[in-house]
Amino acid sequence: MADTSSKPFSDPYPSLLTHQREVSLLSSTGALLGWDQETMLPPGGHAFRTDQLAQLARLTHEMATDPRVGDWLAACEADAGLSDVGLDSGVNLRAWRHAYDRATKLPAELVVAFSEATSQAKTHWAEARRENDYDRFAPWLDRIVSLCREQAACYGWDRAGGGEAWDALAEGYEPGLTAAAVERVFTPLRGRLVALIDRLMGVSQAPDDAFNKLELPVDQQQSFVRSVSQAVGFDFNRGRLDVSAHPFCSGTHYADVRLTTRFHRDNFNDALGSTLHETGHGLYEQGLPPEHVGTPRGQAAGLSIHESQSRLWENQVGRSRAFWTWCHPRLVQHFGGPAAGYSADQMYAAANRVSPSLIRVEADEATYNLHIMVRFELERALMSGELEAADLPAAWNEKYRQTLGVEVVGGDAQGCLQDIHWSMGAIGYFPTYTMGSLYSAQFFEAARAALGGADALDQQFAAGRFGPLLGWLGEQIHTKGQTHYAADLCEAVTGNPLSADPLLRHLEAKLLPLYGL
Amino acid sequence: MADTSSKPFSDPYPSLLTHQREVSLLSSTGALLGWDQETMLPPGGHAFRTDQLAQLARLTHEMATDPRVGDWLAACEADAGLSDVGLDSGVNLRAWRHAYDRATKLPAELVVAFSEATSQAKTHWAEARRENDYDRFAPWLDRIVSLCREQAACYGWDRAGGGEAWDALAEGYEPGLTAAAVERVFTPLRGRLVALIDRLMGVSQAPDDAFNKLELPVDQQQSFVRSVSQAVGFDFNRGRLDVSAHPFCSGTHYADVRLTTRFHRDNFNDALGSTLHETGHGLYEQGLPPEHVGTPRGQAAGLSIHESQSRLWENQVGRSRAFWTWCHPRLVQHFGGPAAGYSADQMYAAANRVSPSLIRVEADEATYNLHIMVRFELERALMSGELEAADLPAAWNEKYRQTLGVEVVGGDAQGCLQDIHWSMGAIGYFPTYTMGSLYSAQFFEAARAALGGADALDQQFAAGRFGPLLGWLGEQIHTKGQTHYAADLCEAVTGNPLSADPLLRHLEAKLLPLYGL
């Protein structure tokens, strides 16, 4: 970069900082093009977008692997006055080292090939899902898996310690996450979740979920979910809410945070839940510290923590009785007619109806984590070579039968084609969703204790006051950036290591009474 | 670039081609960010967008001024088997030489400063216009003019031949365009236009324009203008239509062409005219030859020719009696109620009502060119230093009084704040609008002759058949890319050099009967 090459080497940290902010800036341009691809791009423009994204990926990779970065890093790391992780500079250096070591392990051709393959695969996935035709996507998934295996081989993993290829990819989403560690958390959680779900399913009279099927005009749904997003604290002066096939949050900068959601005429709770979920991601992005923009200190901690924020707003807030006390009269006033026939209790019950089903993003809070476990097992098998892309539908359907007790009917659009992630090359990503659910429950217990207890928080929600909770999250988590890795942040915020108990306490305390147990 | 540096120098044309396509690709990413800034960007995101655009401008400039480009160009130009302008390679080499010589004259700091200033100025312009407060914009215009003067000094101009600073900027929009040449065209045109307008204004009973003030729901206007754009041939599989403060067309690629328009509840013809205008630009972009994408041979000829295409669809088609024969029943069916009270003749008359007014983009076809002459004279004075940014409102208002005979009332939002161009640094651009009007009339006469005469074409339009005209334009102009400079293209297509006669013939033949003359 012209503006860094002239800096004297004797001042490595400012040079590195300037350079890394340039890397972050160029990378944010790629993120914007990705957002545009999912929301705005005309169908005919995808091939060209692939070229644009591949070029940016190559330029960003060239910049990130500039040999001067290695020199600057080494010089800074040797200086304890910079590299102590108690300092902002130390937080940055740790993350830049992690990123540099990973980036320099990938040859540029693999970076470009991966960008091209995923940009095209996303388009083919969307088409395959729309047409309910897995065969259109299979060669693309095969290509992605093959490139992911190549990436893992470049990154390497802890073979001696029993590691596996999957770990090398997960490390990119959450430093320290391994398949073995995930398995240690998932196995007992699965047992306790399945036991709870079995108890609930044994009840003869499930809560009424008629409200979930109520038909409501899509344009009115759009304006309503937008108002909810704004009410819980999303700043539309620094963000947008649009529509895409798969809801997501694209945070290119704390002042340009873009959420998407989706709408069905007869599933308002899907749109509301997706919006609250993405709003949770967005509030995190908008709450990052402006003075550290473009550096790890000003960027979100790993994906598990990101997911803890979306889950918290979707579940701990959006599926609470107090939230529905506030939401109900607004909803009735907004939609009038048909909505007026439902009480707050009915809406609350509908939002919490548990029912093993086929679609992850429409799943209830209890069965959701079982959907994640299926994906984790399958992607682990894809990476190890035990499973090939061509055999995915059969394996998927079998896992759903075993784990959730449901048959995939209606084709692969209802099964292995439902998620965008693998088409984006995001293998190693899914478990962070369940890790996020666990963190969200543990953070929420801490928030409740700090903000005056359950009753106080309920009263705030019922009155539409979400500011105190957001303020606490901002102070404890958002403004911290990457100061801590996920596990350490959990201890710092809650005083305890991550445990499955808060999530199970939360689910049992809410669901057992609703099911008359 | 990694992928060109390995090419042997003995094969300069393929190396240059690959490299220049990369430049074009990166530049298209900047264009997309610019589009997003005008249509999608949240208000708080502008400062960050400025940084993104400045980075892309710097990277693009670095790539475009790579010294290898100069070496490759020199080697190719020495080879008559490549550089003959009758060959695609010769067309490309001529344009690349022009661009390289200009780009290498600008220091990188000036490129970055210009990108930053214009990105910010656009935001401040939009705010100043909204608030009707010129003082907010004045320092930004001052900065832009100062940077434009610096640019002109870097580019240089033909001092010995009586050139001036303005020429150096105009050359970037239209090779060969000079202030003196523009003046030679504008002076006689102005006399004949003013005489025509005076005759029309002397008529006691002007055509009824009540339809122009009819209130119609904006969402219905949106769907209708979209259907018209599609009907005349715009391919929405390869394009979009959105809303922005100032309508524009952003053509980043023949398969991703983005139009914008704007809506007022009580001025449907403004939305329709703007849409047809931008559609004309868009049809040109969509009609460029795919096999030459990313090279001058596959890019639009200068801005005057681009404008000839927008004017042709807006005026020669969209303001014709035959167009309204087709449009009228569709419009009545679409809007029902209020629109049903107007006949095709009334709509046609309203679309052609001549009335000197304040806003360029709402001007009728006859007075429009006077608006351009005002801007040309003012920007020429800004560049020469005869006029300073602070004095623009007074100078603007005086010119409108002299040239159009109207007083600027309602503040500068109705005057010198109305256009986005200068805030984008686009000085030297406005005259291409009137050059485009002249080319459009001359091209349309040629099209009429080629397609069976005026009656045949009218019958096609009345039946909604715009394909033959679009096909002819595609064959004669769109697919030619930059094969010819504007003046040569005019001769090649029409057999004659550019003349003001076709435009005046067109206006007189239409307007005199409408005004009972």
Side-chain angles (χ1 to χ4, degrees):
Chain A
M1 307 302 304
D3 53 341
T4 56
S5 58
S6 58
K7 296 274 166 57
F9 187 70
S10 58
D11 209 0
Y13 189 75
S15 304
L16 182 57
L17 185 65
T18 302
H19 184 87
Q20 295 295 81
R21 282 193 152 132
E22 289 288 332
V23 175
S24 170
L25 188 61
L26 193 60
S27 160
S28 77
T29 294
L32 184 82
L33 264 64
W35 171 86
D36 184 88
Q37 186 177 26
E38 298 302 318
T39 55
M40 300 291 156
L41 187 68
H46 283 280
F48 179 60
R49 180 55 46 86
T50 297
D51 294 343
Q52 290 178 309
L53 285 168
Q55 182 186 49
L56 285 176
R58 195 188 67 237
L59 291 173
T60 308
H61 186 253
E62 277 172 17
M63 219 185 265
T65 57
D66 187 320
R68 290 176 304 157
V69 173
D71 297 337
W72 285 322
L73 275 173
C76 294
E77 285 163 346
D79 179 348
L82 288 169
S83 61
D84 185 313
V85 292
L87 302 168
D88 293 340
S89 57
V91 170
N92 288 337
L93 289 168
R94 177 180 61 184
W96 287 335
R97 165 61 68 192
H98 187 259
Y100 180 73
D101 284 352
R102 283 178 71 83
T104 50
K105 285 176 181 168
L106 293 187
E109 309 80 66
L110 183 54
V111 172
V112 170
F114 189 75
S115 171
E116 285 173 352
T118 53
S119 174
Q120 292 174 275
K122 274 196 288 185
T123 305
H124 289 280
W125 162 76
E127 197 180 280
R129 190 172 88 148
R130 197 172 50 243
E131 303 291 328
N132 203 359
D133 179 2
Y134 179 75
D135 289 348
R136 292 193 190 198
F137 179 55
W140 291 98
L141 181 58
D142 190 59
R143 171 92 178 121
I144 300 270
V145 168
S146 149
L147 289 168
C148 282
R149 288 176 189 159
E150 270 187 68
Q151 286 186 334
C154 294
Y155 291 136
W157 61 85
D158 181 15
R159 284 165 210 274
E164 51 190 87
W166 186 90
D167 301 348
L169 298 181
E171 177 73 15
Y173 302 112
E174 188 69 58
L177 198 68
T178 64
V182 169
E183 203 175 11
R184 277 196 299 277
V185 178
F186 280 15
T187 303
L189 178 64
R190 180 173 174 154
R192 293 170 68 184
L193 270 179
V194 167
L196 170 63
I197 294 164
D198 282 349
R199 277 185 75 190
L200 301 178
M201 293 304 100
V203 170
S204 59
Q205 183 80 24
D208 174 23
D209 69 341
F211 178 67
N212 289 346
K213 296 160 199 152
L214 179 66
E215 292 206 359
L216 294 170
V218 164
D219 58 341
Q220 289 180 33
Q221 290 189 44
Q222 279 184 305
S223 53
F224 191 75
V225 302
R226 187 186 156 95
S227 75
V228 171
S229 179
Q230 191 158 28
V232 303
F234 190 74
D235 178 0
F236 278 94
N237 191 49
R238 299 188 288 132
R240 296 181 54 88
L241 174 62
D242 294 280
V243 175
S244 68
H246 186 98
F248 67 97
C249 167
S250 168
T252 60
H253 184 269
Y254 66 84
D256 186 7
V257 179
R258 304 191 178 195
L259 318 176
T260 70
T261 187
R262 61 179 183 187
F263 297 94
H264 309 280
R265 210 179 147 69
D266 60 352
N267 195 347
F268 170 70
N269 259 334
D270 180 57
L272 180 65
S274 297
T275 302
L276 277 168
H277 180 98
E278 302 308 335
T279 296
H281 284 303
L283 291 171
Y284 190 5
E285 292 287 326
Q286 289 190 336
L288 291 167
E291 65 275 25
H292 296 295
V293 68
T295 73
R297 179 61 186 82
Q299 283 157 354
L303 288 188
S304 298
I305 300 300
H306 226 309
E307 191 68 11
S308 77
Q309 301 306 292
S310 55
R311 292 284 151 203
L312 191 147
W313 289 97
E314 178 189 2
N315 293 331
Q316 271 75 17
V317 177
R319 284 182 160 125
S320 70
R321 182 63 181 78
F323 173 84
W324 285 99
T325 302
W326 168 78
C327 190
H328 171 259
R330 274 155 193 80
L331 203 147
V332 169
Q333 193 188 4
H334 187 86
F335 292 100
Y342 295 86
S343 68
D345 275 332
Q346 282 174 303
M347 292 183 187
Y348 167 62
N352 285 290
R353 165 78 166 248
V354 174
S355 177
S357 66
L358 293 176
I359 304 293
R360 176 181 63 85
V361 296
E362 293 170 10
D364 59 82
E365 205 179 337
T367 62
Y368 183 88
N369 298 297
L370 301 179
H371 291 263
I372 296 304
M373 292 170 190
V374 166
R375 285 154 180 78
F376 166 60
E377 290 166 16
L378 291 171
E379 66 181 20
R380 197 179 179 187
L382 283 168
M383 284 304 291
S384 72
E386 280 165 62
L387 178 65
E388 293 302 328
D391 304 320
L392 178 67
W396 180 286
N397 297 352
E398 178 57 27
K399 288 269 181 209
Y400 263 76
R401 207 173 290 128
Q402 288 169 5
T403 311
L404 283 123
V406 292
E407 281 299 323
V408 175
V409 289
D412 295 320
Q414 303 297 309
C416 65
L417 281 176
Q418 68 185 267
D419 293 310
I420 196 175
H421 301 62
W422 292 337
S423 79
M424 295 165 62
I427 291 178
Y429 184 124
F430 276 119
T432 65
Y433 286 143
T434 286
M435 300 299 283
S437 295
L438 297 171
Y439 284 122
S440 75
Q442 192 156 334
F443 288 148
F444 193 70
E445 284 194 353
R448 227 159 38 188
L451 296 169
D455 288 351
L457 217 53
D458 282 349
Q459 281 167 24
Q460 290 169 15
F461 292 175
R465 291 186 57 228
F466 304 100
L469 175 62
L470 180 56
W472 185 88
L473 291 168
E475 187 186 295
Q476 298 288 319
I477 298 169
H478 304 172
T479 55
K480 295 292 168 63
Q482 295 184 9
T483 299
H484 305 287
Y485 280 157
D488 298 338
L489 180 65
C490 181
E491 292 224 30
V493 172
T494 72
N496 288 303
L498 181 66
S499 155
D501 293 343
L503 178 64
L504 287 155
R505 267 200 292 273
H506 161 76
L507 290 173
E508 287 167 3
K510 180 166 65 172
L511 297 174
L512 293 178
L514 263 173
Y515 277 77
L517 293 168
Chain B
M1 308 303 304
D3 54 342
T4 57
S5 58
S6 59
K7 296 276 167 54
F9 186 73
S10 58
D11 211 359
Y13 190 75
S15 304
L16 181 57
L17 185 63
T18 302
H19 184 86
Q20 296 294 80
R21 282 193 152 134
E22 289 288 332
V23 175
S24 170
L25 189 60
L26 193 59
S27 160
S28 77
T29 294
L32 183 82
L33 264 63
W35 171 86
D36 183 88
Q37 185 176 26
E38 298 302 318
T39 56
M40 300 291 156
L41 187 67
H46 282 280
F48 180 60
R49 180 55 46 85
T50 297
D51 293 344
Q52 290 178 309
L53 285 168
Q55 182 185 50
L56 285 175
R58 194 188 68 237
L59 291 173
T60 308
H61 185 254
E62 277 172 17
M63 219 185 263
T65 56
D66 187 320
R68 290 176 302 158
V69 173
D71 297 337
W72 285 323
L73 276 172
C76 294
E77 286 163 347
D79 180 348
L82 288 169
S83 61
D84 185 315
V85 293
L87 302 168
D88 293 339
S89 57
V91 170
N92 288 337
L93 289 168
R94 178 179 60 184
W96 289 333
R97 166 59 70 192
H98 187 259
Y100 180 73
D101 284 352
R102 283 179 70 84
T104 49
K105 286 177 181 168
L106 294 188
E109 308 81 64
L110 183 54
V111 171
V112 170
F114 189 75
S115 170
E116 286 174 351
T118 53
S119 173
Q120 294 175 271
K122 274 195 289 185
T123 305
H124 290 279
W125 162 76
E127 198 181 279
R129 189 171 90 147
R130 197 171 49 242
E131 304 291 327
N132 203 359
D133 179 4
Y134 179 74
D135 290 348
R136 291 194 189 198
F137 180 55
W140 291 98
L141 181 59
D142 190 59
R143 171 93 179 120
I144 301 269
V145 168
S146 151
L147 289 168
C148 282
R149 287 177 190 160
E150 270 188 67
Q151 286 186 335
C154 294
Y155 292 137
W157 61 85
D158 182 12
R159 284 167 210 273
E164 52 190 87
W166 186 91
D167 301 349
L169 298 181
E171 177 74 15
Y173 302 112
E174 187 70 57
L177 199 68
T178 64
V182 169
E183 203 176 10
R184 277 196 299 277
V185 178
F186 279 14
T187 304
L189 178 63
R190 179 173 175 154
R192 293 170 69 184
L193 271 179
V194 168
L196 171 63
I197 294 164
D198 282 349
R199 279 186 72 189
L200 301 178
M201 293 303 101
V203 170
S204 59
Q205 183 79 27
D208 175 22
D209 68 343
F211 178 67
N212 288 347
K213 296 158 199 157
L214 181 65
E215 292 207 357
L216 295 169
V218 165
D219 59 340
Q220 289 180 33
Q221 290 189 44
Q222 279 186 303
S223 53
F224 191 75
V225 301
R226 186 185 156 97
S227 75
V228 172
S229 180
Q230 191 157 30
V232 303
F234 189 74
D235 178 0
F236 279 93
N237 190 49
R238 298 187 288 131
R240 297 180 54 86
L241 175 61
D242 294 278
V243 175
S244 67
H246 187 97
F248 67 96
C249 167
S250 169
T252 60
H253 184 266
Y254 66 84
D256 186 6
V257 179
R258 303 189 179 197
L259 318 177
T260 70
T261 187
R262 61 181 183 185
F263 297 94
H264 309 280
R265 207 176 150 72
D266 59 352
N267 194 347
F268 170 70
N269 258 335
D270 180 57
L272 180 65
S274 296
T275 303
L276 276 168
H277 180 98
E278 303 308 334
T279 296
H281 285 303
L283 292 171
Y284 190 3
E285 292 288 326
Q286 289 190 337
L288 292 167
E291 66 275 25
H292 296 295
V293 70
T295 73
R297 178 64 186 81
Q299 284 156 354
L303 288 189
S304 298
I305 299 302
H306 225 309
E307 191 67 13
S308 77
Q309 301 305 292
S310 55
R311 292 284 150 202
L312 190 145
W313 290 97
E314 178 189 4
N315 294 331
Q316 271 75 18
V317 177
R319 285 183 159 122
S320 70
R321 182 63 182 79
F323 173 83
W324 284 99
T325 302
W326 168 77
C327 190
H328 171 260
R330 274 155 192 79
L331 203 148
V332 169
Q333 194 188 2
H334 187 85
F335 291 99
Y342 295 85
S343 68
D345 275 332
Q346 282 173 302
M347 293 183 186
Y348 167 62
N352 286 290
R353 165 79 164 246
V354 174
S355 178
S357 66
L358 293 177
I359 304 293
R360 175 181 63 85
V361 296
E362 294 170 10
D364 60 81
E365 204 179 339
T367 61
Y368 183 88
N369 299 296
L370 302 179
H371 291 261
I372 296 304
M373 292 169 191
V374 166
R375 286 155 178 76
F376 166 60
E377 289 166 16
L378 291 171
E379 67 181 21
R380 197 180 180 188
L382 283 167
M383 284 304 289
S384 72
E386 282 166 62
L387 178 66
E388 293 302 327
D391 304 321
L392 178 66
W396 180 285
N397 297 353
E398 178 57 26
K399 289 270 182 209
Y400 263 76
R401 207 172 289 130
Q402 288 171 3
T403 311
L404 283 120
V406 292
E407 281 299 322
V408 175
V409 290
D412 295 323
Q414 303 296 308
C416 65
L417 280 175
Q418 68 184 267
D419 294 311
I420 196 174
H421 302 63
W422 292 337
S423 79
M424 295 165 60
I427 291 179
Y429 185 124
F430 277 119
T432 64
Y433 286 142
T434 286
M435 301 298 284
S437 294
L438 297 171
Y439 284 122
S440 75
Q442 192 156 335
F443 288 148
F444 193 69
E445 285 194 353
R448 226 159 40 188
L451 295 170
D455 288 352
L457 216 52
D458 283 347
Q459 282 167 22
Q460 291 169 14
F461 292 175
R465 290 187 57 230
F466 304 100
L469 175 61
L470 179 56
W472 185 88
L473 291 169
E475 186 186 297
Q476 297 288 320
I477 297 169
H478 304 172
T479 55
K480 295 291 168 64
Q482 295 184 7
T483 299
H484 305 287
Y485 280 155
D488 297 339
L489 180 65
C490 181
E491 292 224 30
V493 172
T494 72
N496 288 304
L498 181 65
S499 154
D501 292 343
L503 178 62
L504 287 156
R505 266 199 293 272
H506 160 75
L507 290 174
E508 287 166 2
K510 181 168 62 173
L511 298 175
L512 294 178
L514 264 173
Y515 276 76
L517 292 166

